[in-house]
Amino acid sequence: MKITIFGATGGIGAECLRLALAAGHEVTAVVRDAGRLSLEPHHVMVADLRIAPDMKELTVACEGADGVLSGIGPRSPKQDRGVVTEATRVIVAAMHAAHARRIVIVSAAPVSTVPTPGNPDAPRRDPGEGAFTRYVLTPIVKRALSSVYADLAAAEDVLRESGLDWTAVRPPRLTDKPGTGRYRTAPERNLTRGHTIPRADVAAAMLAMVNQPSTIGHAIGVAT
Ligand SMILES: NC(=O)c1ccc[n+]([C@@H]2O[C@H](COP(=O)([O-])OP(=O)(O)OC[C@H]3O[C@@H](n4cnc5c(N)ncnc54)[C@H](OP(=O)(O)O)[C@@H]3O)[C@@H](O)[C@H]2O)c1
């Protein structure tokens, strides 16, 4: 397949790059600093998606892509407020220009209970969460990282309105442990007792979902 990866120098993005190359895919990486790539993709485009990116070049980066993966996220919750929504808008525009259809981005488990204009009926409590997560963990992280989750929820809305074949994966706390290959997924809900997941497993799930039509148009909970 031809795979385009945005944020290929980030934690999940670098794992997407590693797995896509290992699987023999032709990979285009879109990054801010090519010098920080851990492996060499077939094609590289340098762009900061917040600083007037060259839409012609981004379109070329998406042309012919069977799947576009985005691991873009805030390096700093304060300074990078809104970055995922802005970046997702730019990626969607480039994909439309390139006639590319399939996109998978990273969101987060607590977003399942964040209502938005595009998802007004988000449940107050996620059905996959046990009592500890529901009443203790989620309220604490949602208070601490409210701007991050608002950004990710708005990015999901950008996808809902995009007309593309989209999927947003919603992992819980990320780790840098080796991938297990034994992650669980669930549409529109989080996973019971799924408190963590290695970044490598999120990347594996994203790559697999490119070819899973049942995930199109959904936010998918993913956890080990
Ligand atoms: N941490 C957790 O436990 C957790 C849990 C659930 C979900 N999440 C979400 O998972 C996502 C990915 O996490 P991660 O740990 O893989 O992220 P990360 O390592 O911080 O990587 C973020 C990526 O986004 C890129 N980026 C940021 N701003 C950009 C811009 N303006 N233009 C282009 N690229 C930009 C970064 O590029 P540079 O390399 O150039 O900086 C980097 O490649 C985030 O959205 C995060 O909110 C995190």
Side-chain angles (χ1 to χ4, degrees), residues 7 9-12 32 36 48-49 73 75 106-107 171-172 174 199:
T9 50
I12 291 174
R32 289 195 285 197
R36 293 190 38 244
D48 186 319
L49 297 189
R75 286 292 190 186
V106 186
S107 179
L174 302 172
R199 286 178 170 83

Side-chain angles (χ1 to χ4, degrees), residues 88-97 100-105 154-167 216-217:
T88 304
R89 275 204 193 97
V90 169
I91 296 169
V92 165
M95 287 180 66
H96 277 300
R101 298 242 9 115
R102 187 75 178 108
I103 177 168
V104 183
I105 75 162
E156 287 190 7
D157 269 4
V158 170
L159 294 184
R160 285 188 187 93
E161 292 159 13
S162 69
L164 297 176
D165 295 338
W166 64 271
T167 301
I216 290 175

Side-chain angles (χ1 to χ4, degrees), residues 107-115 119 122 142 148-150 152-153 156 170 190:
S107 179
V111 174
S112 69
T113 52
V114 177
N119 187 24
K142 272 176 95 171
V148 172
Y149 299 136
L152 294 172
E156 287 190 7
R170 290 177 177 162
N190 294 327

Side-chain angles (χ1 to χ4, degrees), residues 128-218:
E129 291 178 343
F132 179 71
T133 304
R134 180 175 297 186
Y135 296 113
V136 181
L137 217 54
T138 301
I140 290 172
V141 293
K142 272 176 95 171
R143 243 194 316 275
L145 294 170
S146 59
S147 67
V148 172
Y149 299 136
D151 179 26
L152 294 172
E156 287 190 7
D157 269 4
V158 170
L159 294 184
R160 285 188 187 93
E161 292 159 13
S162 69
L164 297 176
D165 295 338
W166 64 271
T167 301
V169 298
R170 290 177 177 162
R173 187 167 65 81
L174 302 172
T175 74
D176 286 324
K177 290 181 182 164
T180 64
R182 293 190 311 275
Y183 58 83
R184 298 172 289 152
T185 61
E188 308 295 348
R189 57 174 286 179
N190 294 327
L191 281 308
T192 307
R193 289 185 296 283
H195 300 302
T196 63
I197 185 168
R199 286 178 170 83
D201 279 336
V202 179
M206 292 172 72
L207 202 51
M209 283 177 196
V210 169
N211 284 325
Q212 290 169 357
S214 62
T215 64
I216 290 175
H218 289 290

